[in-house]
Structures are given as C-alpha cells and as structure tokens.
Amino acid sequence: MTDRATDRPPGPTTPKAQGIAAEVRRRIVEREWRQGDRIPDEADLATEFGAARATVNKALQLLADEGLLDRRRRAGTRVAPAPIRKATFTIPIIREQVEQAGMAYAHRVVSQRLAPPPAALAVRLGLARDARLIHLVTVHEGDGRPFQYEDRWLNPAAEPELATVDFRQMSANEWLVRNAPYLRADIAFHAANASARDARLLDIAPGRAILVLQRTTWNEAGPITSVRLACHPGFVMTAEA
Amino acid sequence: MTDRATDRPPGPTTPKAQGIAAEVRRRIVEREWRQGDRIPDEADLATEFGAARATVNKALQLLADEGLLDRRRRAGTRVAPAPIRKATFTIPIIREQVEQAGMAYAHRVVSQRLAPPPAALAVRLGLARDARLIHLVTVHEGDGRPFQYEDRWLNPAAEPELATVDFRQMSANEWLVRNAPYLRADIAFHAANASARDARLLDIAPGRAILVLQRTTWNEAGPITSVRLACHPGFVMTAEA
DNA sequence: GGATTCGATAAGTCTATACATATCTCGCGC
DNA sequence: GCGCGAGATATGTATAGACTTATCGAATCC
C-alpha cells in the first residue's frame, strides 16, 4: 500500500497468485459460482487471467487449503458443497500474553518433584508406570495477580536437557517453546468449575467457571510434556479464520 | 529418496518437496540446526537434495507456515527463535458433530423474531441501532438431550436469502455452512457459569461451567451472523498442530 | 564519526515445459 | 445389458530460467 517510489501506475504489486485467489473467492462469495459447481479448469483460468498454469494452480491450491474448493485429478475443481472452514490460533508464550495485556509478568513455582506418572497419564502418554517424570506446578501472574496456573509433567527421557533447567528462572512454558521443537501436539480445551485447588491457586471462588487447556507434545523420542493449563475466569481465547 | 523408476515396490512416492521438508524438520527437531541458526540458502539445499530451487522453496515455505522457520529476503532463512506454533480446528456442522458421537440429532427452534440489535451488538457489528435482524434461539439435541444451544442474530441485509429460510427444516448453523461462504470470521471462546437461561435450555444446574463460543462472520456486504454457542458441560474441543 | 549510497545477495514470484497420476468416458466384445 | 480396458483429461509435481525486491554490509561523502 505505502509504495510510492517511482510510482508505477496501479501500485502496490500484489502477487499475481493472490490476486487470482481473491477474484475466485469473490466469485464464490457472490454466488457467481455456486456450491457444488464445477469451475473452469486451470488452463482456461490461466488464459483468462493471463498467467501461467503454475500460478493458477498455486492460487487454487490456496483456496482448497482454506476449504473453499474441492479438487480432484481429472474430475476438476468444484466449489466445496460444505465449505469446511478452519480456524487457527497460536500457542503463545504466557509471558508475552500477559505483557501484551499491559501487565507486569511474574511466575512462581509452587512445587517441583520427581515422580512416576499417575495411571491415567501413563496410559495416555504410552509410558511405563515407573517412568521418571518431573511434576511441576507453576502460577503465572499479571500485576501480581494469578493469571494462569499450569500443572505439568515433563519427560526427561525425550528431552534430556529438561533435567538441568531451573524453572524459577524461565518458566517451563517459555523454555519449551524456545528450546523443544516438537513433531506432534494434541490440544483440547473445555470449561470446568474451579476445584478447591484451582480456586486457591488462582485466588478465585471455588466453582467459578474456568477455561482449561490440555496440551501434550511429542518428538521422535516420545512424549515431551503434558500440561493442564487453567485460565483465570474471564480469559478469552481468540482465533481467526 | 525412493525415486528409482525401475523399482516400483516402495509404493506411494512421497512428493519431493515434502521429503525435503521432513528432512529439514528432522534436522531442527534433533538440534542439528538450533534455534536462531541460519540454515544454508535455497540454492545450496537444492544442490544437496538434487532438486530445483523452486522445489526447495516450496518445502521451506511449508515449514515457515508451520512456524518452524523465519525467512527474510537477503537475510536468509533461520530456525525460528521461538517456534510460534499454530493449531487449527475445524468449524463443524453441529449435526455432524452429534452424529459422529453416535447420537441421534435433532434441533428445536425456541424462538425466532425480527428485532433490532441490542446496543452492544450493533456497535460490535457496525450496524445501525434500527437495523432489522433475525433473532433466533435454537437447541441442538443428541439422543433427545440438549447438546448445544445457540443464540444467533442474522443479518438479511448481507445475505438476502436468509429471510426466506425455514430454520425448523435445516438449522441456521447448517444452512449457513452450506450456503453462505464468508470472507472473514472472528472466533473466541471462554468459560462461563451457566445462567438461569443457559441452565434451562441445556437442562443442567445453574452455575455449571460451560464452554461458550462466540463467532461472527462477514462477507463483502457486511456482517452475516453473530452467534453465541453454549456447549453442554463436558464438551471438549480438540485441535491439532 | 556518522549518515548516505550503492552493489551484492537471498528469498519471492512468475513462466514455460514436461511428465506423472488419478479418474472419467467411451467403445469393444461377450 | 454389462464388464473391462484404452484413451482422454484435469490436476499434481518437478524443472530451469528469468526477473523482482528487501536488505545487509561496505565504500563513500560530509
């Protein structure tokens, strides 16, 4: 947009593929092409837009990833009958989340000890009942008030450096995000009434509704960590499509 | 890798770009290339993998989208210092959600009437206080028991066909997913203690923690719909990375 | 010393071409 | 009529080459 320079006539130079994607998206949204319709093939669109087929392919690929188009070899490209749209949210570093909200961040380790996993966890992670894990409970604070509290199990077998980290210096959340890339993650959230323990650690009344995130990450050596993250009441998680 | 023509057996022939992406991902996860490191440039990797630069570009693009790499012109490609990972979840058709859980789906329109938007909503949607919206309250049931209940405002100005749909036949949720592609969506969730109304419509005790989704979608003509979706206690939303 | 300019570099994009592959369609033989 | 194999066709993927653009870093000028 802000692209004065020598001032080429039209201006901002959007990549061609994106321009094509936008135009196709418009035709779908404005019902020029309706749900289930077959749209012209790549070669025809390439001619129409004065682009190479590879460029049109990129554009349509993009819309297929968005869920707006269904594409099959030989069968052609159709407007998805039920556009299954996806939303994405980012897994944040809690410190940054707090600081972006304009609060001063601090975190406090409530307990840390070596322990074998509870039965349910051992099953879920596929670990032996006598595996040696680190159990860590931490409260994240904003302006001195509890913001989120995490109950986390760490598996040094999958990530040896874990055994040497001082989690009072850097929270496990941040250390992991910065140092332990993972191959696979499971994420789930639900609402829960605050238990006595939740209430005490978050400094709220028992029974208040809190948002709970469960997250487990794996690398090639096995599960790295599994965490239950309880958010302060009023916490809103946002995503975009 | 498995790419001799004379040797079919291996089978599914993974695309080369994906193979390269997998190998780069492995080098990152196994710390061959550490957070913040600059990795070889596209031309070098192309030589190493015996591929064209465009193919390597595609592979690295992929990893950048995943959040594992930071790429900048001239500056080169680096392993992201804090791999900001994204998780995606799909916006489902509630009927399919219920049926996948093996329950019989039904829905029931609790109320439907034309009304101007409440002040807060008008502001949020950027509509005039006297806009004519449809206010619709629906309960989705699985095996005869309330599963989710939605409190929805629909804007026929952005989607004229809305005025003619019979929402007892097909739920607004499903009609919209199938018929009203959107350009932009806002999604947010939080936990809430069930109000008296929530409790009555979901057939639960007041105060129970419920997961609440707020979703608003727009097309080029303005906001299409804004919905508050209250899920039955115990509902778990899952996502993947 | 500090700001400015300019050239080199690496990613970003597009093109033209080629071949691979899934799958639809049609015609053949029974 | 029906199954089956042979094409035709649209997308999937890879290729080399060209040009564009952001930006780093060094040489230059005040």
Side-chain angles (χ1 to χ4, degrees):
Chain A
M1 304 301 163
T2 59
D3 200 53
R4 71 279 98 101
T6 54
D7 203 290
R8 299 264 176 267
T13 61
T14 334
K16 212 162 176 175
Q18 285 192 42
I20 295 173
E23 170 60 13
V24 171
R25 198 183 287 115
R26 191 194 61 75
R27 291 184 190 176
I28 293 171
V29 171
E30 296 191 7
R31 304 281 212 289
E32 250 166 83
W33 293 336
R34 309 186 65 101
Q35 322 292 119
D37 282 4
R38 169 118 180 251
I39 75 171
D41 67 38
E42 294 185 349
D44 290 349
L45 290 173
T47 308
E48 183 194 334
F49 290 115
R53 186 168 78 88
T55 308
V56 172
N57 180 284
K58 199 173 179 180
L60 297 186
Q61 204 64 261
L62 229 157
L63 296 177
D65 288 345
E66 279 180 28
L68 267 187
L69 295 177
D70 269 353
R71 324 191 69 210
R72 271 165 50 222
R73 280 185 175 162
R74 158 67 191 174
T77 300
R78 311 182 156 271
V79 180
I84 293 170
R85 305 299 293 268
K86 291 174 180 157
T88 68
F89 60 93
T90 57
I91 300 172
I93 295 179
I94 297 173
R95 181 174 60 72
E96 293 179 353
Q97 220 172 24
V98 169
E99 287 170 354
Q100 267 175 19
M103 297 187 286
Y105 175 77
H107 70 102
R108 181 162 61 82
V109 173
V110 174
S111 79
Q112 171 172 3
R113 63 195 179 88
L114 266 168
L121 186 69
V123 170
R124 191 146 52 80
L125 300 187
L127 290 173
R129 290 293 311 272
D130 61 350
R132 299 170 66 83
L133 302 184
I134 302 169
H135 184 201
L136 184 68
V137 178
T138 312
V139 176
H140 300 268
E141 299 178 340
D143 283 348
R145 298 215 311 258
F147 180 72
Q148 293 186 359
Y149 111 76
E150 56 178 65
D151 185 308
R152 183 186 289 275
W153 293 83
L154 297 149
N155 180 19
E159 187 54 69
E161 284 186 56
L162 275 174
T164 68
V165 181
D166 179 357
F167 295 114
R168 285 165 303 184
Q169 299 259 325
M170 180 181 281
S171 77
N173 169 270
E174 186 158 0
W175 189 89
L176 286 163
V177 170
R178 290 196 190 283
N179 296 282
Y182 53 85
L183 285 176
R184 190 163 69 81
D186 271 2
I187 301 169
F189 24 73
H190 65 273
N193 292 99
S195 68
R197 180 191 179 78
D198 293 331
R200 181 163 41 82
L201 288 169
L202 288 174
D203 193 19
I204 56 173
R208 289 290 301 278
I210 56 177
L211 187 66
V212 176
L213 260 94
Q214 281 274 3
R215 192 163 71 224
T216 306
T217 58
W218 282 266
N219 67 14
E220 78 292 342
I224 308 172
T225 186
S226 183
V227 61
R228 174 186 186 271
L229 203 62
C231 306
H232 193 85
F235 179 79
V236 176
M237 183 129 198
T238 60
E240 9 187 301
Chain B
M1 304 285 158
T2 59
D3 208 18
R4 288 127 289 147
T6 54
D7 193 13
R8 284 305 121 90
T13 60
T14 7
K16 209 161 175 176
Q18 286 192 46
I20 295 173
E23 169 60 14
V24 172
R25 197 183 289 114
R26 190 194 62 76
R27 291 185 190 175
I28 294 171
V29 171
E30 297 191 6
R31 304 282 213 290
E32 251 166 81
W33 292 336
R34 310 187 63 103
Q35 322 291 120
D37 283 3
R38 169 119 179 249
I39 75 170
D41 67 38
E42 295 186 350
D44 289 350
L45 289 174
T47 308
E48 182 193 336
F49 290 114
R53 186 168 77 89
T55 307
V56 172
N57 180 285
K58 200 173 181 180
L60 298 186
Q61 204 63 262
L62 229 157
L63 296 177
D65 289 345
E66 277 180 31
L68 268 186
L69 295 176
D70 268 355
R71 324 190 68 211
R72 272 165 51 225
R73 280 186 177 164
R74 158 65 195 177
T77 299
R78 309 181 156 272
V79 180
I84 293 171
R85 305 298 294 266
K86 290 174 180 160
T88 67
F89 58 94
T90 57
I91 301 171
I93 296 180
I94 297 172
R95 181 174 58 76
E96 293 180 354
Q97 219 172 24
V98 169
E99 287 171 354
Q100 267 177 18
M103 297 188 285
Y105 175 76
H107 70 101
R108 180 164 60 83
V109 173
V110 174
S111 78
Q112 171 173 4
R113 61 191 182 88
L114 266 167
L121 186 70
V123 169
R124 191 146 52 82
L125 301 186
L127 290 174
R129 289 294 309 275
D130 61 351
R132 298 171 68 84
L133 302 184
I134 302 170
H135 183 203
L136 184 68
V137 177
T138 312
V139 176
H140 300 268
E141 300 178 339
D143 282 347
R145 298 213 313 257
F147 181 72
Q148 293 186 1
Y149 110 77
E150 56 178 64
D151 185 309
R152 184 186 289 275
W153 294 83
L154 298 150
N155 179 20
E159 187 53 71
E161 284 185 57
L162 275 175
T164 68
V165 182
D166 178 358
F167 295 115
R168 284 165 304 183
Q169 299 260 325
M170 180 181 281
S171 78
N173 170 271
E174 186 159 0
W175 189 90
L176 286 162
V177 169
R178 291 196 189 282
N179 295 282
Y182 53 83
L183 287 175
R184 192 163 68 81
D186 272 4
I187 302 168
F189 10 51
H190 64 273
N193 292 99
S195 68
R197 177 192 183 77
D198 294 330
R200 181 162 41 83
L201 288 169
L202 288 174
D203 192 19
I204 56 172
R208 289 290 301 278
I210 55 177
L211 187 65
V212 176
L213 259 94
Q214 281 275 0
R215 192 163 72 221
T216 306
T217 59
W218 281 265
N219 66 14
E220 77 293 340
I224 307 172
T225 186
S226 183
V227 61
R228 174 186 187 271
L229 202 62
C231 306
H232 197 271
F235 179 79
V236 177
M237 183 125 201
T238 61
E240 359 185 310

